[in-house]
Amino acid sequence: MRRAIPWPHRRAVLRGLVAFPLAAPALAQAKPRVTVVGGGFAGATAARVLARLGITVTLVEASETFAACPFSNAVIAGLRGMEAQRFGYDALRRDGIVIAQQTAKSVNGPGRSVTLGDGSVLAHDRLVLAPGIDLRLDALPGYDDAAAAKLPHAWKAGEQTVLLRRQLEAMPDGGTVLMSVPANPYRCPPGPYERASLIAHYLKTKKPRSKLIVLDAKDAFSKQRLFQAAWAELYPGLIEHVPLSGGGKVTAIEAETGTLVTEFGRHQGAVVNVIPPQRAGAIAEAAGVADRTGWCPIDPTSFESRQQPGIHVIGDAAIAGAMPKSAFAANAQAKACAVAVAALLRGTAPPAPKLINTCYSLVAPDYGISVAGVYRPAGGLLAEVDGAGGTSPAGASRDTRALEASYAEDWFKTITAEVFG
Ligand SMILES: Cc1cc2nc3c(=O)[nH]c(=O)nc-3n(C[C@H](O)[C@H](O)[C@H](O)COP(=O)(O)OP(=O)(O)OC[C@H]3O[C@@H](n4cnc5c(N)ncnc54)[C@H](O)[C@@H]3O)c2cc1C
């Protein structure tokens, strides 16, 4: 087990992680205990920062290895193997974090404990919930686990990603691929359009008589002008995007025949990718931190639940104001939350964070675009700092787009090394 870093040095450790200073009076003699539920981009990051701050951390994670969603669209397009997406927890163990490979089943907020799938009970001083998303299968008639085995969502990476890849490989040239995209909010706002782009790349290079129809429950989407300009340049006539106002909202699924029903008609596909509406992972509702939207309202400085004191929610599960649900954002929120939790355990006020997010998307293997933003607490939410962000320029050269594609890969290598390496 790695020795806890003495307090004077902890500032230095954190300097690389967070964009604000940390007050450093010592914690009380007995080491405080924090349980983190969910070992994804948010939870694993929070666990590591908390451990470096001298806190005893147990990370509850259902899976032995984590399957990352960023770059999983490249797996679907055959540009990358699924093994490049999988990460273990040994580095966290070396940090002294106890990994409980269990599903957290229930939370006793006032009693400060979490009950796991094997019946054991973990006591904590503070709890961090980072369960990511669950799919709202109730929101799309005809779509359930059995339907997902035929018409994959691939919105949680792993078997579903590989299934969608295999279906595309097995599809004869000339087939129609359908995608159904939900209304906001959902995990990774530009993700469906990156997926459409990379599927189009696969079809253009391997099955050029095929086409892709994207049925969308909204009219506007992230980086829309950049995506649509790139589609016109790279994939003319291959992608048909049907917005909400054109009848794009899918209202029912007929899994047996691969049919998507919209308000305006019916579409049948040889391969059908259904991205359903989403909500916070189930443990959030069990803990009483999710509101009627299915997501978790939080204080934007401490990430403490507005519904349950002592429980913090980070990553996709949280309502983070203007911040999108991304791995980049989850990682940034986790650092700020860990610092806030340490401050609260010392009885001091958490510092107000400034958080950065950048979402890269690949439109082709050598064609990347991005959107960036800076966020800070304002009006009870995380608000975007005016003028601090922006998107890739329209009309940039192919060299610039190739450079952004390489930045995207570098970002993935860096974040996964930081979180799991
Ligand atoms: C196709 C696609 C592409 C994407 N591309 C990008 C990208 O390029 N850049 C980017 O920044 N983001 C991207 N994202 C978004 C990114 O994957 C998510 O925003 C990010 O994973 C959120 O992190 P999280 O920790 O909140 O949730 P997750 O990473 O999903 O982690 C949640 C973890 O909690 C565990 N868990 C849940 N409930 C329990 C429980 N009760 N007990 C124990 N464990 C539990 C799960 O097993 C899981 O490991 C993409 C998403 C998709 C779908």
Side-chain angles (χ1 to χ4, degrees):
M1 184 183 284
R2 186 182 283 184
R3 231 162 28 91
I5 300 160
W7 269 104
H9 300 293
R10 285 190 194 129
R11 274 186 204 240
V13 172
L14 276 167
R15 200 165 293 132
L17 299 178
V18 291
F20 43 80
L22 182 74
L27 289 171
Q29 282 306 306
K31 268 174 103 182
R33 294 160 306 174
V34 173
T35 299
V36 179
V37 174
F41 286 100
T45 304
R48 295 193 91 170
V49 179
L50 286 162
R52 281 169 205 174
L53 288 167
I55 291 164
T56 299
V57 183
T58 302
L59 175 66
V60 182
E61 166 55 49
S63 305
E64 191 181 343
T65 54
F66 178 70
C69 286
F71 274 86
S72 65
N73 287 330
V75 176
I76 289 164
L79 300 168
R80 180 182 176 90
M82 190 60 208
E83 63 284 356
Q85 299 297 113
R86 295 193 196 278
F87 301 89
Y89 293 99
D90 283 348
L92 280 76
R93 288 189 182 92
R94 287 194 294 274
D95 281 356
I97 297 163
V98 175
I99 311 286
Q101 200 207 311
Q102 289 287 327
T103 299
K105 290 291 185 192
S106 64
V107 173
N108 180 341
R112 307 219 161 204
S113 67
V114 178
T115 302
L116 308 185
D118 64 0
S120 57
V121 178
L122 290 177
H124 58 255
D125 295 303
R126 283 190 174 263
L127 172 64
V128 178
L129 291 182
I133 56 148
D134 268 346
L135 306 172
R136 285 194 50 199
L137 297 179
D138 57 322
L140 211 45
Y143 200 65
D144 54 17
D145 287 336
K150 290 198 175 71
L151 317 181
H153 52 79
W155 218 242
K156 288 187 178 194
E159 282 172 28
Q160 280 274 310
T161 313
V162 174
L163 177 62
L164 184 53
R165 169 71 202 143
R166 292 208 179 115
Q167 290 183 346
L168 285 169
E169 276 178 304
M171 186 184 83
D173 189 10
T176 297
V177 180
L178 294 182
M179 279 181 68
S180 155
V181 182
N184 292 320
Y186 59 91
R187 156 177 285 182
C188 195
Y193 312 98
E194 178 188 70
R195 178 171 293 177
S197 307
L198 293 183
I199 289 177
H201 174 78
Y202 171 68
L203 298 179
K204 179 181 166 181
T205 49
K206 297 286 193 300
K207 293 175 182 168
R209 294 189 299 117
S210 308
K211 72 171 186 171
L212 169 62
I213 301 174
V214 182
L215 298 168
D216 205 332
K218 55 195 174 307
D219 280 326
F221 59 86
S222 172
K223 293 181 266 189
Q224 182 162 2
R225 285 181 53 208
L226 292 170
F227 273 115
Q228 290 185 325
W231 292 347
E233 182 187 344
L234 303 178
Y235 313 119
L238 207 159
I239 303 176
E240 183 187 348
H241 176 254
V242 185
L244 172 69
S245 52
K249 184 177 177 188
V250 172
T251 52
I253 312 274
E254 293 170 12
E256 280 311 317
T257 55
T259 303
L260 299 182
V261 182
T262 69
E263 279 157 4
F264 288 28
R266 301 163 64 80
H267 300 260
Q268 200 179 7
V271 174
V272 182
N273 171 216
V274 177
I275 306 171
Q278 296 148 37
R279 60 179 167 83
I283 190 66
E285 198 179 330
V289 295
D291 70 10
R292 281 165 51 195
T293 65
W295 305 102
C296 307
I298 44 120
D299 174 272
T301 297
S302 64
F303 293 85
E304 188 162 9
S305 165
R306 291 217 185 266
Q307 305 194 166
Q308 293 284 340
I311 304 180
H312 302 252
V313 187
I314 50 174
D316 284 358
I319 300 175
M323 247 188 142
K325 297 185 186 302
S326 75
F328 198 124
N331 173 261
Q333 292 167 14
K335 293 167 184 168
C337 175
V339 169
V341 166
L344 290 166
L345 287 169
R346 280 196 303 266
T348 59
K354 260 205 189 131
L355 303 169
I356 301 171
N357 177 66
T358 304
C359 284
Y360 294 100
S361 301
L362 293 181
V363 185
D366 59 352
Y367 193 120
I369 54 177
S370 64
V371 56
V374 180
Y375 306 85
R376 65 180 163 80
L381 288 170
L382 282 165
E384 186 155 11
V385 176
D386 282 342
T391 57
S392 310
S397 69
R398 287 301 295 271
D399 284 350
T400 303
R401 301 300 191 213
L403 208 53
E404 281 231 67
S406 73
Y407 293 159
E409 279 210 40
D410 291 346
W411 166 76
F412 186 71
K413 280 186 201 139
T414 306
I415 193 170
T416 52
E418 184 199 306
V419 179
F420 300 103

